[in-house]
């Protein structure tokens, strides 16, 4: 038997058959998760560290949220990804508004349904016709951060309607990447709630799954 063969034979006698199995048995799941997260996020945090520090000193009107909130929304804390995806979604929403034929000047009070930590709101707030921007989300930590750092009206809501928002209050609402995460009964319930808080003839712009998506 060759040396390589002896080594293979010894490895095969390990508990569970492989070193990976032994590692999984010895290291708790939570610690393995933390190690994977550190390996994945370490380079990203290093790249964004200077910008994150600078933003705490400059205090822009609509700052980016801290890394943990950015990662919660997009799976990564990368500033560039957070900004790029938010801007792209806002631009798509603006194009949908233009295609609707509704006069944007009449839409002054907007609702960001599922605003999170402001990935889209920071861009929508710059639209010249938006006079009031409101946002709701089930993520209480994100809402608390928005209240402390961003202009607008931000409220946490329960996972199921109704909300405390007034009826027939908003001119328009958008819900991007929200209904794609809800089953049909929940989606219908929230559609009814948004209909309640929109003014008669109000506009809703929402992203949905493709018809062939099961």
């Amino acid at each position: 038997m060759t040396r390589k063969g002896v080594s293979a034979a010894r490895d095969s006698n390990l508990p569970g058959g492989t070193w990976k199995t032994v590692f999984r048995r010895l290291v708790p799941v939570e610690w393995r998760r933390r190690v994977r997260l550190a390996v994945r996020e370490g380079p990203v945090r290093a790249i964004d560290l200077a910008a994150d520090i600078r933003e705490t000193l400059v205090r822009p009107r609509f700052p980016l949220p801290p890394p943990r909130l950015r990662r919660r929304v997009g799976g990564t804390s990368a500033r560039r990804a957070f900004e790029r995806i938010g801007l792209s979604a806002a631009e798509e929403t603006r194009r949908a508004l233009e295609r609707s034929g509704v006069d944007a000047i009449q839409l002054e009070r907007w609702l960001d349904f599922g605003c999170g930590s402001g990935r889209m709101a920071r861009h929508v707030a710059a639209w010249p016709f938006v006079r009031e921007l409101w946002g709701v989300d089930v993520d209480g930590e994100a809402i608390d951060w928005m209240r402390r750092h961003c202009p607008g009206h931000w409220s946490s809501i329960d996972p199921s309607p109704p909300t405390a928002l007034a009826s027939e209050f908003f001119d328009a609402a958008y819900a991007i990447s929200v209904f794609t995460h809800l089953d049909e009964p929940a989606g219908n319930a929230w559609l009814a709630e948004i209909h309640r808080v929109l003014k008669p003839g109000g506009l809703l712009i929402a992203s949905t799954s493709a018809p062939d998506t099961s």
Side-chain angles (χ1 to χ4, degrees), residues 95-116:
R95 284 192 285 270
L97 169 60
E98 293 169 352
R99 290 193 299 269
S100 73
V102 177
D103 185 0
I105 300 300
Q106 300 177 6
L107 307 177
E108 296 186 347
R109 183 180 291 149
W110 283 72
L111 172 65
D112 184 334
F113 180 74
C115 64

Side-chain angles (χ1 to χ4, degrees), residues 15-141:
T18 67
W19 285 106
K20 184 179 292 187
T21 301
V22 175
F23 177 77
R24 287 177 176 173
R25 288 181 178 179
L26 295 178
V27 180
V29 173
E30 178 61 21
W31 281 102
R32 297 203 306 267
R33 187 193 68 80
R34 292 184 182 185
V35 169
R36 288 194 297 269
L37 178 61
V39 170
R40 184 174 67 249
E41 283 285 295
V44 175
R45 296 286 182 88
I47 292 172
D48 289 340
L49 180 60
D52 284 335
I53 294 175
R54 182 171 61 250
E55 197 159 78
T56 62
L57 300 175
V58 175
R59 296 186 180 181
R61 181 172 182 269
F62 240 101
L64 263 65
R68 70 180 182 282
L69 293 181
R70 299 198 299 259
R71 181 168 56 83
R72 188 180 300 173
V73 173
T76 175
S77 67
R79 292 175 62 91
R80 181 176 297 181
F82 189 89
E83 292 183 285
R84 175 177 53 80
I85 295 172
L87 177 60
S88 176
E91 290 176 341
E92 285 291 334
T93 302
R94 182 73 177 267
R95 284 192 285 270
L97 169 60
E98 293 169 352
R99 290 193 299 269
S100 73
V102 177
D103 185 0
I105 300 300
Q106 300 177 6
L107 307 177
E108 296 186 347
R109 183 180 291 149
W110 283 72
L111 172 65
D112 184 334
F113 180 74
C115 64
S117 50
R119 186 166 63 171
M120 270 190 68
R122 62 196 313 270
H123 301 287
V124 174
W127 294 354
F129 48 85
V130 175
R131 304 301 180 191
E132 290 185 34
L133 183 57
W134 296 60
V136 296
D137 201 282
V138 296
D139 188 338
E141 184 182 3

Side-chain angles (χ1 to χ4, degrees), residues 142-204:
I143 291 297
D144 287 342
W145 183 87
M146 292 288 284
R147 285 173 173 167
R148 294 194 305 269
H149 296 92
C150 302
H153 309 269
W154 317 107
S155 302
S156 59
I157 57 175
D158 293 329
S160 300
T163 67
L165 298 171
S167 298
E168 300 183 4
F169 187 68
F170 296 99
D171 300 304
Y174 60 89
I176 308 303
S177 191
V178 176
F179 287 102
T180 49
H181 298 281
L182 301 176
D183 59 23
E184 187 172 355
N188 289 337
W190 280 115
L191 278 174
E193 175 66 5
I194 294 175
H195 182 267
R196 180 185 70 81
V197 302
L198 282 174
K199 294 178 180 179
L203 176 69
L204 169 63

